[in-house]
Amino acid sequence: MTYTVGMYLGDRLKQIGLDHHFAVAGDYNLVLLDQLLKIDGMEQVYCCNELNCGYSAEGYARAKGAGAAIVTFSVGAISAFNAVGGAYAENLPLILISGAPNSNDHGSGHILHHTIGTPDYAYQIEMARRITCAAVSIISADEAPAKIDHAIRTALRERKPAYIEIACNVAGAACARPGPVSAVLSQVPGDAATLEAAVEAIAAFLAKRDKVAILVGSKLRAADGGEGAVALADALGCAVATMAAAKSFFPENYPNYIGTYWGEASSPGAREIFDWADGILCLGCVFNDYSTVGWTAWPRGANVVQADIGTVTLDGQVFDGLHLKDLLTALAARLAGQPKKGGTMTEYRRIVGAPAPVDSAAPTAKLTRAEMARQIGALLTPETTLLAETGDSWFNAMRMKLPQGARVEFEMQWGHIGWSVPATFGYAVAEPKRRIITMVGDGSFQLTAQEVAQMVRRGLPVIVFLVNNHGYTIEVEIHDGPYNNIKNWDYAGLIEVFNAGEGKGRGFRATTGAEMAEAVRAALDNHGGPTLIECIIDRDDCTSELISWGRRVATANARPPAK
Ligand SMILES: C/C(NCc1cnc(C)nc1N)=C(/S)[C@H](O)COP(=O)(O)OP(=O)(O)O
Ligand SMILES: [Mg+2]
């Protein structure tokens, strides 16, 4: 059997740990798909459309560290670009591979199908360059190994998406075989002197402060800094909070964990502590308009250390060229044995003597948001992953207490509604042994619902809580209008459509707590396919956090143009 360009790509994807890749067929990628099917231990998983294909690979990357999506030229790739932009925003190595025009057509003046109708086909890779860390076009077999390795290596190093386009007549062409996988897994070491200087500068910063707190941000995962953050928290003995998008990136049963810091939408007591602290260590934090509640909750200035993936900034100094993972480990070692900084925990215990508000309501009454959230929260085990969609689902998830090992996935930087359904599909393909739960609003679900059919096809026992509050409630709280109303669907009834008489999916409508509890019991017994539980709640039944957060974001959006 000839060893081909497509097989080289497939072997590299397998070598970096992918057992699956996601695809939508198109005539520019069929020969490539054939090559990938030849790779032992690599399964080709099909999606309903290229947006969902991209998000399935993105969800897979959240579980496995990287993901791959194969699409056809232009009509496929440009849809998938939305998921690539999301992967860039969320620091995920999604590798988008697009079939491309025959290499003989370049410069021929030929007008080709699926293109924008000009003989210059470079527009696609030019678009890709803006939303990836590496973008390559392969029009000959000789150049394929180096270009494929460059794209994969860069994506893994930078934790950002990469783009590979392969001419349709090259994917099956004879190609050299790859060398050791270390060629694409190697990291550029951090600078030792910079690391040492940064550690000393932070130690000096802390020595002058008593009211110290740690804020964990969403880039901590991309930096592989989870263990280092716990070691640093152990060394300091201070309060630790997570930003909303970093929920589950720090263990919530940690004794000094005080919940989410999110301005007015914070966990009880957390905002006060960060307002009160005189030394804040920000680890991999992303401060955008949503995460700072319209720029009203943005730790910065002389009392803040910003420790990012490769750079530390404090006191007017910047230390670039280090790895956050190394910094946390070295700093924890440097502070070992020093006096603890427990002032913030002492103060926190004073503030939150009263227990946090518990979501509960009589299960027989009309279903409320609080009761829905309570029943979902009760399902979280150490083996659970909860994917929470853009919407009030963010705030419902924020209130949930996680057992150690439970994971939460958001897409808070990109915030593309509908992301959670295909991302759930990809994540469930990657992690068949975990309990996968999705909380998705009715508005979001309508963008990507088709991928529930793929969950039926593969018999994935995912539980989808469809929050039917009759429209775009998060938008209602920011700025209401007729555009926030949507056509209602029979969401539970969709499952029978997707089953088509053979699938094992189940759908339930819950209008009371008791109906929801019964549906949950059935879902936990359904191991042969997804269970969608449509939770019907009032349009205005949303979290108090959403209301205040929505006001702040609306104010930020309404700032008049600068003079
Ligand atoms: C329309 C929009 N955002 C604008 C938007 C529009 N288009 C895309 C692709 N992404 C977006 N975030 C948002 S957050 C809706 O409130 C989501 O509604 P739903 O899923 O029903 O959730 P809630 O009811 O809890 O808000
Ligand atoms: Mg809604």
Side-chain angles (χ1 to χ4, degrees):
M1 170 171 65
T2 305
Y3 192 82
T4 65
V5 168
M7 292 168 73
Y8 185 103
L9 171 65
D11 276 336
R12 275 307 197 209
L13 295 177
K14 178 69 184 161
Q15 282 180 335
I16 65 169
L18 307 193
D19 303 324
H20 308 82
H21 58 270
F22 298 87
V24 176
D27 66 329
Y28 285 114
N29 70 18
L30 300 176
V31 172
L32 173 59
L33 294 178
D34 288 341
Q35 309 312 310
L36 294 171
L37 286 170
K38 296 172 186 171
I39 306 300
D40 291 339
M42 168 73 84
E43 188 182 352
Q44 201 163 91
V45 181
Y46 305 109
C47 296
C48 295
N49 62 52
E50 286 84 354
L51 173 67
N52 290 355
C53 186
Y55 275 133
S56 297
E58 191 258 29
Y60 193 89
R62 290 169 180 265
K64 301 281 269 189
I70 294 87
V71 297
T72 195
F73 193 72
S74 265
V75 294
I78 294 179
S79 279
F81 278 170
N82 207 327
V84 172
Y88 198 101
E90 304 293 331
N91 301 296
L92 291 162
L94 161 59
I95 298 160
L96 179 67
I97 298 127
S98 174
N102 183 300
S103 58
N104 298 299
D105 286 320
H106 290 274
S108 67
H110 290 167
I111 303 294
L112 299 178
H113 71 286
H114 286 342
T115 69
I116 57 175
T118 66
D120 174 3
Y121 324 121
Y123 62 89
Q124 181 163 309
I125 192 170
E126 286 165 10
M127 293 164 76
R129 284 201 176 103
R130 296 301 307 275
I131 53 175
T132 61
C133 63
V136 297
S137 170
I138 297 171
I139 55 173
S140 81
D142 298 345
E143 61 180 2
K147 287 189 170 182
I148 290 170
D149 282 8
H150 167 68
I152 293 174
R153 178 188 308 118
T154 310
L156 295 177
R157 279 183 178 172
E158 300 197 16
R159 318 295 302 159
K160 294 290 185 186
Y163 171 78
I164 300 171
E165 79 180 28
I166 302 178
C168 56
N169 62 326
V170 171
C175 179
R177 292 174 183 273
V181 67
S182 52
V184 293
L185 294 178
S186 60
Q187 286 289 343
V188 176
D191 176 63
T194 301
L195 176 64
E196 187 182 346
V199 166
E200 288 310 314
I202 298 171
F205 169 90
L206 292 168
K208 295 180 283 188
R209 290 164 171 85
D210 296 316
K211 303 184 288 185
V212 173
I214 292 173
L215 183 58
V216 170
S218 57
K219 289 199 272 188
L220 187 73
R221 174 166 68 175
D224 191 19
E227 285 180 22
V230 172
L232 179 59
D234 288 345
L236 281 170
C238 66
V240 184
T242 45
M243 293 187 75
K247 189 171 177 68
S248 85
F249 292 6
F250 190 89
E252 298 201 356
N253 61 345
Y254 187 82
N256 287 1
Y257 179 70
I258 65 171
T260 302
Y261 170 69
W262 196 0
E264 291 185 32
S266 297
S267 304
R271 175 162 58 108
E272 292 81 352
I273 290 302
F274 279 81
D275 288 348
W276 182 76
D278 66 357
I280 298 174
L281 302 181
C282 296
L283 311 180
C285 293
V286 177
F287 295 114
N288 65 33
D289 50 346
Y290 274 17
S291 66
T292 63
V293 195
W295 311 115
T296 63
W298 183 4
R300 52 184 176 152
N303 285 340
V304 179
V305 175
Q306 296 291 357
D308 204 344
I309 287 185
T311 306
V312 172
T313 309
L314 76 152
D315 271 343
Q317 304 170 80
V318 62
F319 301 93
D320 190 27
L322 45 73
H323 291 299
L324 177 57
K325 178 178 183 177
D326 300 338
L327 176 85
L328 295 173
T329 307
L331 186 56
R334 171 69 173 74
L335 298 171
Q338 306 257 334
K340 298 289 186 191
K341 302 285 183 182
T344 44
M345 277 314 293
T346 307
E347 183 65 11
Y348 173 73
R349 291 188 184 101
R350 287 190 200 110
I351 292 173
V352 294
V358 176
D359 278 338
S360 67
T364 54
K366 180 179 180 316
L367 186 60
T368 62
R369 180 210 58 75
E371 175 59 12
M372 173 194 74
R374 187 191 67 78
Q375 291 197 32
I376 296 171
L379 288 171
L380 301 182
T381 66
E383 299 74 34
T384 303
T385 297
L386 168 68
L387 291 97
E389 179 64 80
T390 300
D392 201 25
S393 299
W394 279 354
F395 300 92
N396 282 314
M398 222 45 72
R399 287 187 176 191
M400 295 177 187
K401 194 90 180 96
L402 304 182
Q404 175 131 14
R407 299 177 204 163
V408 172
E409 297 289 350
F410 294 112
E411 191 207 35
M412 277 191 177
Q413 174 59 37
W414 191 242
H416 179 302
I417 58 170
W419 150 85
S420 63
V421 177
T424 296
F425 173 58
Y427 195 104
V429 167
E431 294 273 17
K433 293 189 174 55
R434 287 186 72 85
R435 169 182 289 177
I436 315 283
I437 294 176
T438 307
M439 198 163 34
V440 53
D442 49 339
S444 299
F445 186 76
Q446 291 192 4
L447 273 79
T448 57
Q450 309 91 327
E451 242 46 35
V452 174
Q454 302 297 356
M455 297 175 198
V456 171
R457 181 182 193 176
R458 292 182 67 87
L460 297 172
V462 168
I463 304 177
V464 177
F465 289 99
L466 188 291
V467 183
N468 187 349
N469 55 14
H470 314 291
Y472 297 153
T473 295
I474 215 173
E475 302 296 353
V476 167
E477 298 311 326
I478 293 175
H479 177 104
D480 203 2
Y483 31 73
N484 292 331
N485 302 317
I486 61 176
K487 171 71 181 71
N488 194 31
W489 290 4
D490 174 3
Y491 298 98
L494 257 184
I495 296 296
E496 281 320 310
V497 169
F498 292 151
N499 279 338
E502 59 189 4
K504 301 256 186 321
R506 302 198 65 188
F508 297 87
R509 291 181 85 247
T511 59
T512 67
E515 287 173 353
M516 181 173 175
E518 186 188 335
V520 166
R521 281 190 293 276
L524 293 174
D525 279 344
N526 182 17
H527 306 292
T531 303
L532 185 144
I533 301 173
E534 181 183 349
C535 303
I536 317 267
I537 62 176
D538 284 349
R539 190 174 196 266
D540 291 324
D541 186 0
C542 65
T543 58
S544 54
E545 293 90 328
L546 173 55
I547 293 167
S548 53
W549 176 88
R551 286 285 157 272
R552 293 289 189 187
V553 167
T555 305
N557 287 346
R559 285 165 297 156
K563 294 271 185 280

PDB file of all heavy atoms in Angstrom, residues 345-357:
ATOM      1  N   MET A 345      -8.736  34.931  54.327  1.00  0.00           N
ATOM      2  CA  MET A 345      -9.653  33.864  54.745  1.00  0.00           C
ATOM      3  C   MET A 345     -10.332  34.226  56.070  1.00  0.00           C
ATOM      4  O   MET A 345     -11.512  33.957  56.280  1.00  0.00           O
ATOM      5  CB  MET A 345      -8.919  32.540  54.884  1.00  0.00           C
ATOM      6  CG  MET A 345      -8.750  31.817  53.574  1.00  0.00           C
ATOM      7  SD  MET A 345     -10.242  31.743  52.545  1.00  0.00           S
ATOM      8  CE  MET A 345     -11.298  30.695  53.553  1.00  0.00           C
ATOM      9  N   THR A 346      -9.572  34.867  56.944  1.00  0.00           N
ATOM     10  CA  THR A 346     -10.172  35.302  58.220  1.00  0.00           C
ATOM     11  C   THR A 346     -11.329  36.259  57.950  1.00  0.00           C
ATOM     12  O   THR A 346     -12.427  36.105  58.468  1.00  0.00           O
ATOM     13  CB  THR A 346      -9.104  36.004  59.079  1.00  0.00           C
ATOM     14  OG1 THR A 346      -7.974  35.128  59.190  1.00  0.00           O
ATOM     15  CG2 THR A 346      -9.640  36.354  60.451  1.00  0.00           C
ATOM     16  N   GLU A 347     -11.059  37.189  57.057  1.00  0.00           N
ATOM     17  CA  GLU A 347     -12.097  38.188  56.730  1.00  0.00           C
ATOM     18  C   GLU A 347     -13.271  37.519  56.021  1.00  0.00           C
ATOM     19  O   GLU A 347     -14.427  37.813  56.285  1.00  0.00           O
ATOM     20  CB  GLU A 347     -11.489  39.281  55.848  1.00  0.00           C
ATOM     21  CG  GLU A 347     -12.444  40.408  55.491  1.00  0.00           C
ATOM     22  CD  GLU A 347     -12.870  41.214  56.721  1.00  0.00           C
ATOM     23  OE1 GLU A 347     -12.276  41.035  57.791  1.00  0.00           O
ATOM     24  OE2 GLU A 347     -13.841  41.983  56.602  1.00  0.00           O
ATOM     25  N   TYR A 348     -12.956  36.590  55.147  1.00  0.00           N
ATOM     26  CA  TYR A 348     -14.037  35.913  54.406  1.00  0.00           C
ATOM     27  C   TYR A 348     -14.981  35.210  55.378  1.00  0.00           C
ATOM     28  O   TYR A 348     -16.200  35.310  55.262  1.00  0.00           O
ATOM     29  CB  TYR A 348     -13.427  34.899  53.439  1.00  0.00           C
ATOM     30  CG  TYR A 348     -14.435  34.028  52.731  1.00  0.00           C
ATOM     31  CD1 TYR A 348     -15.239  34.551  51.726  1.00  0.00           C
ATOM     32  CD2 TYR A 348     -14.618  32.690  53.092  1.00  0.00           C
ATOM     33  CE1 TYR A 348     -16.183  33.765  51.074  1.00  0.00           C
ATOM     34  CE2 TYR A 348     -15.551  31.894  52.453  1.00  0.00           C
ATOM     35  CZ  TYR A 348     -16.331  32.441  51.458  1.00  0.00           C
ATOM     36  OH  TYR A 348     -17.265  31.651  50.825  1.00  0.00           O
ATOM     37  N   ARG A 349     -14.410  34.534  56.363  1.00  0.00           N
ATOM     38  CA  ARG A 349     -15.249  33.793  57.310  1.00  0.00           C
ATOM     39  C   ARG A 349     -16.128  34.756  58.116  1.00  0.00           C
ATOM     40  O   ARG A 349     -17.258  34.443  58.474  1.00  0.00           O
ATOM     41  CB  ARG A 349     -14.381  32.925  58.214  1.00  0.00           C
ATOM     42  CG  ARG A 349     -13.735  31.779  57.441  1.00  0.00           C
ATOM     43  CD  ARG A 349     -13.009  30.771  58.326  1.00  0.00           C
ATOM     44  NE  ARG A 349     -12.356  29.766  57.506  1.00  0.00           N
ATOM     45  CZ  ARG A 349     -11.045  29.771  57.223  1.00  0.00           C
ATOM     46  NH1 ARG A 349     -10.273  30.753  57.721  1.00  0.00           N
ATOM     47  NH2 ARG A 349     -10.510  28.848  56.448  1.00  0.00           N
ATOM     48  N   ARG A 350     -15.606  35.970  58.339  1.00  0.00           N
ATOM     49  CA  ARG A 350     -16.446  36.957  59.038  1.00  0.00           C
ATOM     50  C   ARG A 350     -17.655  37.337  58.159  1.00  0.00           C
ATOM     51  O   ARG A 350     -18.784  37.429  58.604  1.00  0.00           O
ATOM     52  CB  ARG A 350     -15.638  38.234  59.309  1.00  0.00           C
ATOM     53  CG  ARG A 350     -14.607  38.121  60.400  1.00  0.00           C
ATOM     54  CD  ARG A 350     -14.038  39.504  60.765  1.00  0.00           C
ATOM     55  NE  ARG A 350     -12.751  39.369  61.437  1.00  0.00           N
ATOM     56  CZ  ARG A 350     -11.586  39.715  60.885  1.00  0.00           C
ATOM     57  NH1 ARG A 350     -11.552  40.242  59.677  1.00  0.00           N
ATOM     58  NH2 ARG A 350     -10.448  39.538  61.548  1.00  0.00           N
ATOM     59  N   ILE A 351     -17.339  37.533  56.855  1.00  0.00           N
ATOM     60  CA  ILE A 351     -18.392  38.051  55.953  1.00  0.00           C
ATOM     61  C   ILE A 351     -19.484  37.024  55.714  1.00  0.00           C
ATOM     62  O   ILE A 351     -20.673  37.311  55.740  1.00  0.00           O
ATOM     63  CB  ILE A 351     -17.762  38.421  54.581  1.00  0.00           C
ATOM     64  CG1 ILE A 351     -16.847  39.616  54.716  1.00  0.00           C
ATOM     65  CG2 ILE A 351     -18.851  38.722  53.553  1.00  0.00           C
ATOM     66  CD1 ILE A 351     -16.067  39.915  53.445  1.00  0.00           C
ATOM     67  N   VAL A 352     -19.071  35.760  55.481  1.00  0.00           N
ATOM     68  CA  VAL A 352     -20.088  34.793  55.032  1.00  0.00           C
ATOM     69  C   VAL A 352     -20.464  33.826  56.123  1.00  0.00           C
ATOM     70  O   VAL A 352     -20.687  32.652  55.880  1.00  0.00           O
ATOM     71  CB  VAL A 352     -19.622  34.005  53.779  1.00  0.00           C
ATOM     72  CG1 VAL A 352     -19.500  34.924  52.599  1.00  0.00           C
ATOM     73  CG2 VAL A 352     -18.319  33.276  54.060  1.00  0.00           C
ATOM     74  N   GLY A 353     -20.627  34.357  57.320  1.00  0.00           N
ATOM     75  CA  GLY A 353     -21.054  33.461  58.403  1.00  0.00           C
ATOM     76  C   GLY A 353     -22.332  32.747  58.005  1.00  0.00           C
ATOM     77  O   GLY A 353     -22.487  31.559  58.128  1.00  0.00           O
ATOM     78  N   ALA A 354     -23.272  33.555  57.378  1.00  0.00           N
ATOM     79  CA  ALA A 354     -24.564  32.935  56.999  1.00  0.00           C
ATOM     80  C   ALA A 354     -24.323  32.012  55.790  1.00  0.00           C
ATOM     81  O   ALA A 354     -23.509  32.333  54.930  1.00  0.00           O
ATOM     82  CB  ALA A 354     -25.557  34.026  56.590  1.00  0.00           C
ATOM     83  N   PRO A 355     -25.024  30.871  55.672  1.00  0.00           N
ATOM     84  CA  PRO A 355     -24.815  29.957  54.542  1.00  0.00           C
ATOM     85  C   PRO A 355     -25.201  30.630  53.232  1.00  0.00           C
ATOM     86  O   PRO A 355     -26.056  31.512  53.210  1.00  0.00           O
ATOM     87  CB  PRO A 355     -25.743  28.774  54.847  1.00  0.00           C
ATOM     88  CG  PRO A 355     -26.759  29.306  55.800  1.00  0.00           C
ATOM     89  CD  PRO A 355     -26.083  30.385  56.575  1.00  0.00           C
ATOM     90  N   ALA A 356     -24.566  30.207  52.135  1.00  0.00           N
ATOM     91  CA  ALA A 356     -24.872  30.786  50.823  1.00  0.00           C
ATOM     92  C   ALA A 356     -26.324  30.449  50.469  1.00  0.00           C
ATOM     93  O   ALA A 356     -26.849  29.437  50.918  1.00  0.00           O
ATOM     94  CB  ALA A 356     -23.923  30.182  49.788  1.00  0.00           C
ATOM     95  N   PRO A 357     -26.997  31.278  49.637  1.00  0.00           N
ATOM     96  CA  PRO A 357     -28.395  30.973  49.260  1.00  0.00           C
ATOM     97  C   PRO A 357     -28.464  29.611  48.568  1.00  0.00           C
ATOM     98  O   PRO A 357     -27.645  29.290  47.741  1.00  0.00           O
ATOM     99  CB  PRO A 357     -28.753  32.088  48.290  1.00  0.00           C
ATOM    100  CG  PRO A 357     -27.474  32.671  47.830  1.00  0.00           C
ATOM    101  CD  PRO A 357     -26.494  32.449  48.917  1.00  0.00           C
TER     102      PRO A 357
END
